[in-house]
Amino acid sequence: MTGLVKTQIIQKMKDKKVCIVGLGYIGLPTMGLIASKGFSLVGVDVDSQKIAALNKGEVYIFEDRLEELIQNAIKNNKIKAQAIPTSASVYMIAVPTPLIAENKSPDIIYVKQAIQNVIPHIKEGDLIIIESTCPIGTTEKMQQLIYEARPQLKDKIFLAYCPERVLPGNILYELENNDRVIGGIDKASTEKAVEFYTCFVKGNLFETNAKTAEMCKLVENASRDVNIAFANELSMISDKAGIDVMELIYLANKHPRVNILQPGIGVGGHCIAIDPWFIASNFPKEGKMIRTAREINDYKTLWTIDKIKDYISKFTEENQKQPTVAFLGLTFKPDVDDIRTSPALFITRQIVEEGYNVIAVEPHIEECKNIKLVSYDEALQKADIVFKLVAHTAFKDKSESNIINLCYV
Ligand SMILES: NC(=O)c1ccc[n+]([C@@H]2O[C@H](COP(=O)([O-])OP(=O)(O)OC[C@H]3O[C@@H](n4cnc5c(N)ncnc54)[C@H](O)[C@@H]3O)[C@@H](O)[C@H]2O)c1
């Protein structure tokens, strides 16, 4: 696409109002980015605290440049947050798609609710985009839902699935620069969605159908999970065999076609640790490797807890007293404030629940239920054993010799 064509598209689209449903880690930065390109947006969320905060220019997600973008947009009257959707030309759905705990199958209830809430506002020619990670077939189901409620809109709207693949901690950069996969329910929908993304994405926009786009997102995270599981499995085998796994991986990676990832305390966050189940639960016979990788990565966290308990038992035996244990880092990965499905948080909670005296250091969050947060210096001063669980940059210069680094066990 030439620069001129792109400018013409942006001019054409800019007057269109955008309504983003779900103002979390994806919806909020997306709103900030699109507003910075001159669009007017309405953000919708069921969380009244988020709406109130946002309308005051307060940003509840820690991402570089986000506060500045949101505050500029508010100053220029480009964004407004509210509880219910309003009439717009483009609707973007970025609500959660969690797992059902009992059977680990995906729950698309929030996507359904979000679509149901925008249905009364949809007009002929509007574009609806689902960005939430979804099991395959969801976009087609939402198409049915819309047509059942508003049969007169049949074949008169555009609907596409456009998954997100951003890295928390670098979301704004990646929103703008990553390549995107865009899959409409038909060719016209794909093209309409591509036009829209052209206005704020510099990366390449790859066209496909909705089902392939849905699967593409799931496969990306399953692929990461499988590769991490291999490293985690190696680390447990190496531990038993008396081999330094980091040295082993370093040497194996000297092979020109081998690239083993690093092991860790498990896999967290709400993409890699969750999305593979969207495939494994819907394709139980075919998705065996994907399921096994999930199980290995979850098991690695339990294995780490056993290691920690071994250290504690040894201390108790040698010193005839229970130690105060400090954990460094609670988030699911370094340098973010996101504790969802965090193995570090799970480990810390588990040790607290077992009655040990625990303190924790987490520079990216202010409080954490049932866990006593202290400063790094206080942790070093008070703890008998210090375990590093997350390799935050804030801990980098503080490589005290008595810290047990579990980040790459
Ligand atoms: N966070 C990531 O890095 C990431 C990356 C790629 C894809 N995704 C996917 O994007 C989707 C959103 O993820 P997130 O991290 O932004 O989640 P989030 O929990 O941070 O935000 C979702 C927001 O939606 C709101 N919400 C829930 N139901 C609603 C409804 N019916 N109407 C309006 N608002 C509603 C919640 O209050 C919340 O503020 C998920 O499907 C996730 O898997 C996330």
Side-chain angles (χ1 to χ4, degrees):
M1 186 181 295
T2 65
L4 181 63
V5 174
K6 201 169 168 170
T7 312
Q8 284 167 345
I9 291 176
I10 294 173
Q11 284 310 328
K12 192 174 90 182
M13 299 290 291
K14 236 180 191 168
D15 297 335
K16 298 193 182 294
K17 193 170 196 168
V18 180
C19 175
I20 300 196
V21 186
L23 301 175
Y25 284 89
I26 295 300
L28 184 62
T30 303
M31 182 153 93
L33 176 66
I34 299 177
S36 75
K37 306 294 175 191
F39 284 81
S40 293
L41 297 101
V42 169
V44 175
D45 205 288
V46 288
D47 185 336
S48 55
Q49 284 181 337
K50 283 185 179 168
I51 293 173
L54 205 52
N55 285 330
K56 282 190 266 169
E58 290 167 13
V59 169
Y60 38 81
I61 290 170
F62 171 75
E63 277 293 332
D64 202 24
R65 287 198 301 127
L66 183 57
E67 196 169 11
E68 184 194 323
L69 282 191
I70 294 293
Q71 286 177 353
N72 274 343
I74 292 210
K75 205 169 70 197
N76 298 325
N77 281 326
K78 287 291 177 196
I79 60 170
K80 185 172 175 273
Q82 56 190 53
I84 44 168
T86 191
S87 176
S89 301
V90 181
Y91 297 90
M92 298 179 86
I93 311 295
V95 295
T97 41
L99 287 177
I100 297 170
E102 300 83 60
N103 59 6
K104 304 232 184 240
S105 67
D107 188 355
I108 59 165
I109 185 72
Y110 301 107
V111 176
K112 264 191 187 164
Q113 282 169 356
I115 291 283
Q116 264 154 350
N117 291 342
V118 300
I119 282 177
H121 304 279
I122 302 174
K123 309 173 299 302
E124 197 178 318
D126 285 353
L127 168 65
I128 301 126
I129 295 166
I130 301 174
E131 285 215 354
S132 300
T133 304
C134 288
I136 62 169
T138 303
T139 311
E140 284 171 7
K141 278 190 190 149
M142 296 307 113
Q143 180 189 20
Q144 276 170 20
L145 208 67
I146 297 169
Y147 289 168
E148 273 164 27
R150 304 272 310 274
Q152 69 278 25
L153 289 175
K154 193 163 188 302
D155 301 328
K156 296 197 175 127
I157 56 164
F158 304 100
L159 173 62
Y161 182 74
C162 309
E164 252 323 325
R165 38 166 67 139
V166 291
L167 179 76
N170 197 27
I171 291 185
L172 277 165
Y173 176 84
E174 295 212 350
L175 272 180
E176 196 167 7
N177 292 286
N178 283 355
D179 291 346
R180 299 292 293 261
V181 173
I182 298 180
I185 47 162
D186 50 32
K187 185 107 183 78
S189 292
T190 308
E191 283 168 4
K192 192 79 174 172
V194 165
E195 266 192 358
F196 177 60
Y197 280 89
T198 300
C199 300
F200 59 95
V201 173
K202 291 183 189 154
N204 297 310
L205 304 174
F206 292 96
E207 298 182 18
T208 180
N209 56 48
K211 226 180 216 181
T212 309
E214 288 162 347
M215 186 62 159
C216 188
K217 167 70 189 170
L218 303 180
V219 161
E220 287 162 18
N221 285 329
S223 157
R224 302 271 301 144
D225 204 40
V226 166
N227 284 298
I228 296 168
F230 182 66
N232 277 335
E233 186 163 288
L234 284 185
S235 80
M236 293 184 281
I237 294 170
S238 300
D239 184 71
K240 205 167 204 174
I243 290 168
D244 176 347
V245 71
M246 295 308 280
E247 185 191 5
L248 173 73
I249 292 173
Y250 171 79
L251 294 173
N253 282 349
K254 293 292 164 201
H255 184 294
R257 286 167 296 284
V258 170
N259 184 18
I260 303 170
L261 301 183
Q262 289 181 337
I265 58 172
V267 171
H270 73 320
C271 281
I272 301 180
I274 297 201
D275 302 352
W277 284 117
F278 287 30
I279 307 175
S281 65
N282 285 348
F283 299 89
K285 274 194 190 148
E286 299 80 5
K288 288 202 176 66
M289 186 166 66
I290 293 172
R291 170 181 288 268
T292 305
R294 254 323 36 252
E295 287 166 354
I296 291 169
N297 286 331
D298 281 350
Y299 175 67
K300 186 63 193 297
T301 306
L302 304 179
W303 183 91
T304 308
I305 291 172
D306 284 344
K307 283 270 159 219
I308 290 168
K309 287 190 346 204
D310 287 347
Y311 279 108
I312 295 176
S313 301
K314 192 163 169 254
F315 179 94
T316 310
E317 221 170 81
E318 285 171 3
N319 298 279
Q320 293 304 302
K321 65 161 190 163
Q322 285 269 326
T324 293
V325 178
F327 290 107
L328 305 183
L330 294 176
T331 57
F332 87 89
K333 57 175 247 175
D335 300 333
V336 296
D337 64 352
D338 194 345
I339 51 172
R340 292 175 297 177
T341 59
S342 163
L345 181 63
F346 182 85
I347 290 168
T348 307
R349 282 210 194 291
Q350 200 65 30
I351 299 295
V352 169
E353 272 166 27
E354 295 198 18
Y356 296 106
N357 189 14
V358 172
I359 49 181
V361 184
E362 180 40 78
H364 300 92
I365 55 175
E366 275 163 21
E367 53 186 9
C368 192
K369 203 174 160 211
N370 295 337
I371 296 176
K372 188 173 179 214
L373 294 184
V374 298
S375 69
Y376 182 85
D377 288 337
E378 190 179 341
L380 281 198
Q381 197 194 340
K382 290 195 173 155
D384 298 298
I385 320 178
V386 183
F387 295 104
K388 182 152 123 184
L389 298 179
V390 185
H392 286 314
T393 307
F395 301 146
K396 213 170 180 178
D397 300 330
K398 302 179 173 174
S399 46
E400 310 273 338
S401 56
N402 61 344
I403 295 174
I404 299 164
N405 188 352
L406 297 177
C407 300
Y408 306 111
V409 283

